[in-house]
Amino acid sequence: MCGTDSPASINKSSLPSANGNDTRSPTCSPDHVLNLEQGDPAVFESYWRKMGDRCTMVISGSQLMSYISDFTNICWFMEPEFEEAVRRLHRVVGNAVVDDRYIVVGTGSTQLYQAALYALTSPGGPEPVSVVSAAPYYSSYPDETDYLCSRLYKWAGDAYEFDKNGTGPYIEVVNSPNNPDGTLREAVVKNRGDEGKLIHDLAYYWPQYTPIIRPADHDIMTFTFSKSTGHAGSRIGWAVVKDKEIARKMSKFIEMCTLGVSKDSQQRAAKIMGLLCDGYQNCKSANKSDDLFFEHTRQIMAERWERLRQVVERNQVFSLPKYPKQYCLFSGELIEPYPGFAWLEAKEEEEIDSQKVLRGSIKVQGRTGRRFGVAEKYVRISLLCNEEEFKEFLERLSTIKSMTSNGH
Amino acid sequence: MCGTDSPASINKSSLPSANGNDTRSPTCSPDHVLNLEQGDPAVFESYWRKMGDRCTMVISGSQLMSYISDFTNICWFMEPEFEEAVRRLHRVVGNAVVDDRYIVVGTGSTQLYQAALYALTSPGGPEPVSVVSAAPYYSSYPDETDYLCSRLYKWAGDAYEFDKNGTGPYIEVVNSPNNPDGTLREAVVKNRGDEGKLIHDLAYYWPQYTPIIRPADHDIMTFTFSKSTGHAGSRIGWAVVKDKEIARKMSKFIEMCTLGVSKDSQQRAAKIMGLLCDGYQNCKSANKSDDLFFEHTRQIMAERWERLRQVVERNQVFSLPKYPKQYCLFSGELIEPYPGFAWLEAKEEEEIDSQKVLRGSIKVQGRTGRRFGVAEKYVRISLLCNEEEFKEFLERLSTIKSMTSNGH
């Protein structure tokens, strides 16, 4: 999942352009708010620009017109080429078990999260099932769970709290690596017998962000095109599901919610994933690793983290999480995580509102820790912006010497 | 909206091919079930094939990657080119007022229907708001309203019944022309003061199906790419909305539901609608009306209805609705409606299950009247199939001489 929210009072000129071409001014004016609240994956655009025509999608006016892709598949609106590409991508990366698993396509992993809630609950229970996730949790889970005031399920907050005091049937969402703080996670609620069910949101479990420590093998795992290759505008996600009935119910949800998923985008995703995989099968032996998507983008993320840590350490106003090196099955090396977000914690005071200070003092828009179920001294900053914005962010951040003198 | 359901026990070989190319066998074997249950718009494919390269969509790998289209628009995930194309299309056709109205893009009109329910209700009411539509009503409204067991709204069935006996706040969905029976409709529930709100589902209010009797001008009107041009696989719909706050709430719903709408499909829809409109601006004077989308497809629908009425009148087993001619502002002529579905009523018996008889005797899969809130003697048959399937349907239908002797 993504971390994109509706617009606040954000200056348009600091945003990535809608058509994918970089039409911004060469330097960001210091008067403009630098919007790093959403996890818009602009950082990957330059890679795909470099790939040129090889990943250009061409669709004639008479193609892809039917609602139906394959009535013999439980997920009858899924393009067979998309399913094949998803399975191939996971086999190339080794980040999830796909053999003997069902694939369900969704309109982004946002829709698949809701499809999973629907599939894991049934009408007629005495109370809605509690949905929990360990704080700091992805800020959109509460709204996505509660906006329709369903009798099937309800948001119940922090999973640690529920583990201590909660009772009754529950669903725990395990987001790993976690948005906002980048940690690799496991389920928190323990020893509840049959009362608990799990959704694993693995949006960021890709080699540019994290070591691939094992092929994930959980009941319901969701992934998204937005964070794997950076194509958020296509609204494509998928779930890897063990149980046939769960896959059927998830597909039924998507049928009732949107009557399927854009075929144009499914075909485009299949083409782009296919090209990415071709790279590994054709080029790895030739040692041109900079042409390979995950090596290239991991390199960018690594450099950004190095530059960010330098600034943060120099001005001593915030701290960043420290991540242990772990062995990555994909790269065959011991490597550090490079999460898509900086999870900044103010050092100075317990009561400080870090989002407000950043917005007020250096005109950087992040997202407050409060939205993630924790204190306001935390703020999440997207590191998935383009290079110009990232540079501007570091420049502005380096001017902060103290949280109180700058922002109050 | 569309009328597509999940697969029953349907033989795949009778289905339109998923990739938009017609790969079926030249004749349908009589052993195969002919699936005319869904309103899959294959009939329009030949027109777009004829248009060739002019409506081919090309998207490079680095385009359309951002979540965001335009943060200054209430519907921030809507491509400006899509919005422009929608407004232009309505101005060319004259079927809806768009000046001083908000446009909201959705993942098909299925999603916009739910967005409208969300926008028209608020949490905390003593009871869910009743959602009604005059029977026979579109068969998916009940499921799309109730699948999440919302406390905001609940399906309450036939609007005529509610007008007589229902109480409290309600939302009436006016589907015009109506799916399944093709009638032009107005709201049914009367004299309730402020208690009632309306959604106008105008999926079929296009010149190939119906005379355009006036530019529709209602609070919330929904349309779909699936039924206007026949591109169901793209999952694109839009709403035309009078009130800013309603447009904002509908956009918020789509944000929480799917975090936007495929940009690939929005851009493709903009291109195809643009080409369609260009035709009217460039060619109408040249009198090449067969090249024009609505004239071409209306001609096909008119021929189908003529052939269908001949068969139905000859074998005297079913009756079809009769539609009055009305003056069409678009064509400037007095014309008949040619709905996308045949709404067949068995003449013989009150108790007969027409869907079962058609399935059993001639292996044609329709949808029972029961699903539309009326008697089983009614069955809905899609007329939007390709020509080969339509011909096969008429041949099979002409062999029925009696409902009882054939089907029991």
Side-chain angles (χ1 to χ4, degrees):
Chain A
M1 279 204 203
C2 88
T4 296
D5 243 19
S6 61
S9 55
I10 286 162
N11 192 305
K12 203 190 165 194
S13 66
S14 71
L15 291 170
S17 73
N19 62 8
N21 299 318
D22 197 338
T23 55
R24 275 149 297 202
S25 63
T27 54
C28 296
S29 149
D31 291 340
H32 285 170
V33 173
L34 187 60
N35 176 21
L36 300 175
E37 184 178 356
Q38 290 82 25
D40 210 35
V43 61
F44 306 129
E45 204 181 297
S46 59
Y47 177 86
W48 295 112
R49 203 177 301 125
K50 218 175 61 169
M51 289 298 108
D53 286 350
R54 279 179 288 169
C55 45
T56 295
M57 182 70 203
V58 178
I59 314 171
S60 84
S62 61
Q63 281 180 311
L64 309 175
M65 289 182 68
S66 173
Y67 290 100
I68 302 144
S69 294
D70 178 3
F71 260 166
T72 65
N73 194 317
I74 283 176
C75 188
W76 57 266
F77 45 81
M78 179 164 61
E79 294 283 278
E81 295 86 350
F82 175 78
E83 178 173 5
E84 253 175 65
V86 160
R87 291 184 187 277
R88 184 180 173 206
L89 181 63
H90 284 300
R91 286 191 187 110
V92 164
V93 176
N95 63 339
V97 173
V98 288
D99 291 333
D100 303 316
R101 300 292 182 275
Y102 298 91
I103 308 294
V104 178
V105 66
T107 310
S109 58
T110 302
Q111 186 177 43
L112 290 159
Y113 167 70
Q114 295 167 61
L117 295 182
Y118 174 81
L120 293 175
T121 55
S122 300
E127 284 290 321
V129 172
S130 298
V131 180
V132 299
S133 189
Y137 44 71
Y138 173 47
S139 51
S140 292
Y141 290 151
D143 280 354
E144 289 173 10
T145 309
D146 282 347
Y147 70 120
L148 287 175
C149 305
S150 174
R151 287 190 198 85
L152 300 175
Y153 46 78
K154 64 164 194 290
W155 178 250
D158 182 16
Y160 289 109
E161 196 54 45
F162 188 86
D163 187 47
K164 277 189 280 181
N165 302 316
T167 56
Y170 72 94
I171 296 167
E172 180 176 351
V173 200
V174 181
N175 187 199
S176 180
N178 188 46
N179 173 359
D181 69 357
T183 53
L184 285 168
R185 285 184 155 191
E186 294 189 357
V188 158
V189 188
K190 305 284 185 201
N191 305 319
R192 299 292 177 105
D194 290 342
E195 286 198 313
K197 288 166 182 166
L198 296 175
I199 300 170
H200 279 77
D201 177 351
L202 306 184
Y204 296 92
Y205 194 49
W206 296 100
Q208 68 267 51
Y209 307 112
T210 181
I212 302 301
I213 55 173
R214 67 178 71 89
D217 187 17
H218 307 286
D219 289 349
I220 302 176
M221 303 185 280
T222 62
F223 294 91
T224 167
F225 195 35
S226 310
K227 297 310 194 265
S228 50
T229 65
H231 292 84
S234 296
R235 311 308 312 120
I236 289 289
W238 63 95
V240 180
V241 179
K242 270 189 192 168
D243 182 76
K244 189 173 182 173
E245 275 317 300
I246 296 292
R248 195 189 303 278
K249 276 189 84 176
M250 289 180 73
S251 301
K252 184 72 192 167
F253 173 94
I254 291 165
E255 182 189 320
M256 291 186 289
C257 183
T258 54
L259 208 46
V261 174
S262 164
K263 285 187 178 183
D264 311 320
S265 290
Q266 288 188 61
Q267 286 288 350
R268 187 166 176 232
K271 175 139 195 174
I272 286 171
M273 291 175 187
L275 187 83
L276 191 160
C277 292
D278 288 349
Y280 285 93
Q281 296 193 322
N282 303 334
C283 303
K284 209 162 188 178
S285 54
N287 222 359
K288 288 173 63 185
S289 74
D290 197 51
D291 278 357
L292 296 173
F293 178 76
F294 294 115
E295 278 71 2
H296 180 92
T297 52
R298 180 174 181 77
Q299 189 56 37
I300 297 174
M301 296 305 294
E303 282 168 15
R304 288 195 176 185
W305 272 92
E306 196 185 332
R307 289 151 71 195
L308 173 67
R309 288 202 188 270
Q310 279 174 7
V311 172
V312 167
E313 273 159 37
R314 198 179 310 129
N315 67 7
Q316 287 292 317
V317 172
F318 290 105
S319 67
L320 279 167
K322 291 193 177 37
Y323 304 106
K325 282 195 177 183
Q326 293 194 66
Y327 184 76
C328 174
L329 292 171
F330 178 73
S331 64
E333 294 169 37
L334 203 64
I335 56 180
E336 250 179 79
Y338 301 113
F341 297 99
W343 183 236
L344 294 167
E345 180 186 358
K347 286 184 169 181
E348 283 185 36
E349 290 185 41
E350 277 305 305
E351 300 289 300
I352 209 145
D353 183 340
S354 291
Q355 176 192 282
K356 204 170 152 189
V357 172
L358 287 185
R359 173 77 190 220
S361 60
I362 58 169
K363 294 205 158 120
V364 167
Q365 181 69 45
R367 186 173 296 173
T368 172
R370 206 176 52 244
R371 296 278 311 280
F372 303 91
V374 295
E376 288 179 349
K377 66 174 176 173
Y378 291 95
V379 61
R380 189 195 76 171
I381 298 288
S382 171
L383 303 180
L384 301 178
C385 50
N386 67 31
E387 174 57 26
E388 189 193 7
E389 289 167 324
F390 183 69
K391 210 174 137 208
E392 177 70 20
F393 166 62
L394 291 189
E395 275 168 24
R396 294 191 189 186
L397 188 66
S398 64
T399 66
I400 293 194
K401 300 298 169 215
S402 144
M403 290 297 273
T404 41
S405 60
N406 277 277
H408 282 196
Chain B
M1 282 206 199
C2 89
T4 296
D5 244 20
S6 61
S9 54
I10 286 161
N11 192 305
K12 200 190 165 194
S13 66
S14 71
L15 291 171
S17 74
N19 61 8
N21 299 318
D22 197 339
T23 54
R24 276 150 296 203
S25 63
T27 53
C28 295
S29 151
D31 292 339
H32 286 168
V33 173
L34 187 61
N35 175 22
L36 300 174
E37 185 178 355
Q38 291 82 25
D40 210 34
V43 62
F44 305 129
E45 202 181 299
S46 60
Y47 177 86
W48 295 112
R49 204 177 301 124
K50 219 174 61 168
M51 291 298 107
D53 286 350
R54 281 180 286 169
C55 44
T56 294
M57 183 71 203
V58 179
I59 315 170
S60 83
S62 61
Q63 283 181 309
L64 308 176
M65 288 181 69
S66 172
Y67 289 101
I68 303 143
S69 295
D70 178 5
F71 261 166
T72 66
N73 194 318
I74 283 176
C75 187
W76 56 266
F77 46 81
M78 179 164 61
E79 293 284 278
E81 296 86 347
F82 176 78
E83 179 174 4
E84 253 174 66
V86 161
R87 291 184 188 277
R88 183 179 175 208
L89 181 62
H90 283 301
R91 287 189 187 112
V92 164
V93 176
N95 62 339
V97 174
V98 289
D99 291 334
D100 303 315
R101 300 291 181 275
Y102 298 91
I103 308 293
V104 178
V105 66
T107 310
S109 58
T110 302
Q111 186 178 42
L112 290 159
Y113 167 70
Q114 294 167 62
L117 295 181
Y118 174 81
L120 294 174
T121 55
S122 299
E127 284 290 320
V129 172
S130 297
V131 181
V132 299
S133 188
Y137 45 71
Y138 173 46
S139 51
S140 292
Y141 290 150
D143 279 354
E144 289 173 8
T145 310
D146 282 346
Y147 70 120
L148 286 176
C149 304
S150 175
R151 286 191 197 84
L152 300 174
Y153 47 77
K154 66 163 192 289
W155 179 248
D158 182 15
Y160 288 109
E161 196 54 45
F162 188 85
D163 188 47
K164 276 189 285 184
N165 302 315
T167 56
Y170 71 93
I171 296 167
E172 180 175 352
V173 200
V174 181
N175 187 200
S176 181
N178 188 48
N179 173 359
D181 69 358
T183 52
L184 285 167
R185 286 183 157 191
E186 295 187 357
V188 158
V189 188
K190 305 284 184 199
N191 305 319
R192 300 291 179 105
D194 289 342
E195 286 198 314
K197 288 168 182 164
L198 297 175
I199 300 169
H200 280 78
D201 176 352
L202 305 185
Y204 295 93
Y205 194 49
W206 296 99
Q208 67 269 51
Y209 306 113
T210 181
I212 301 302
I213 55 172
R214 67 179 70 89
D217 187 16
H218 307 286
D219 290 350
I220 303 176
M221 304 187 279
T222 62
F223 295 91
T224 167
F225 196 34
S226 309
K227 298 308 196 262
S228 51
T229 65
H231 292 84
S234 295
R235 310 308 312 118
I236 289 290
W238 63 95
V240 181
V241 179
K242 271 189 192 168
D243 183 77
K244 189 173 181 174
E245 274 317 301
I246 296 291
R248 195 189 303 279
K249 276 189 82 175
M250 288 180 73
S251 300
K252 184 72 191 167
F253 174 94
I254 292 166
E255 182 190 321
M256 290 186 289
C257 184
T258 54
L259 208 43
V261 175
S262 165
K263 286 187 178 182
D264 311 319
S265 289
Q266 288 188 61
Q267 287 287 350
R268 188 169 176 228
K271 173 137 196 175
I272 287 172
M273 290 175 186
L275 187 83
L276 191 160
C277 292
D278 287 348
Y280 285 94
Q281 297 193 320
N282 303 335
C283 302
K284 210 162 187 178
S285 53
N287 223 357
K288 287 173 65 183
S289 74
D290 197 52
D291 278 356
L292 296 172
F293 178 75
F294 293 116
E295 278 70 4
H296 180 92
T297 52
R298 178 173 182 78
Q299 189 56 37
I300 297 173
M301 295 305 292
E303 281 167 17
R304 288 196 176 184
W305 271 92
E306 197 186 332
R307 289 151 73 195
L308 173 67
R309 289 205 188 269
Q310 279 174 7
V311 172
V312 167
E313 273 159 38
R314 200 180 308 129
N315 66 9
Q316 288 293 316
V317 172
F318 290 105
S319 66
L320 279 167
K322 290 191 180 36
Y323 304 106
K325 282 193 176 182
Q326 293 194 65
Y327 184 76
C328 174
L329 292 170
F330 177 74
S331 64
E333 292 170 39
L334 200 67
I335 55 179
E336 249 177 79
Y338 301 113
F341 297 99
W343 182 237
L344 294 167
E345 179 186 359
K347 287 184 168 183
E348 283 183 36
E349 290 183 42
E350 278 303 308
E351 300 289 300
I352 209 143
D353 182 340
S354 291
Q355 174 191 283
K356 204 169 152 191
V357 172
L358 286 185
R359 173 78 189 219
S361 60
I362 59 169
K363 294 204 154 109
V364 167
Q365 182 70 45
R367 186 174 294 173
T368 174
R370 206 176 54 243
R371 295 280 309 282
F372 303 91
V374 296
E376 288 178 350
K377 67 175 175 173
Y378 291 94
V379 62
R380 188 195 76 170
I381 298 288
S382 170
L383 304 181
L384 301 178
C385 50
N386 68 29
E387 173 57 26
E388 189 193 6
E389 289 167 321
F390 183 68
K391 210 173 136 208
E392 178 70 20
F393 166 60
L394 291 189
E395 274 167 27
R396 293 191 190 187
L397 188 67
S398 66
T399 65
I400 293 196
K401 300 300 169 210
S402 144
M403 290 297 272
T404 40
S405 62
N406 278 277
H408 283 193

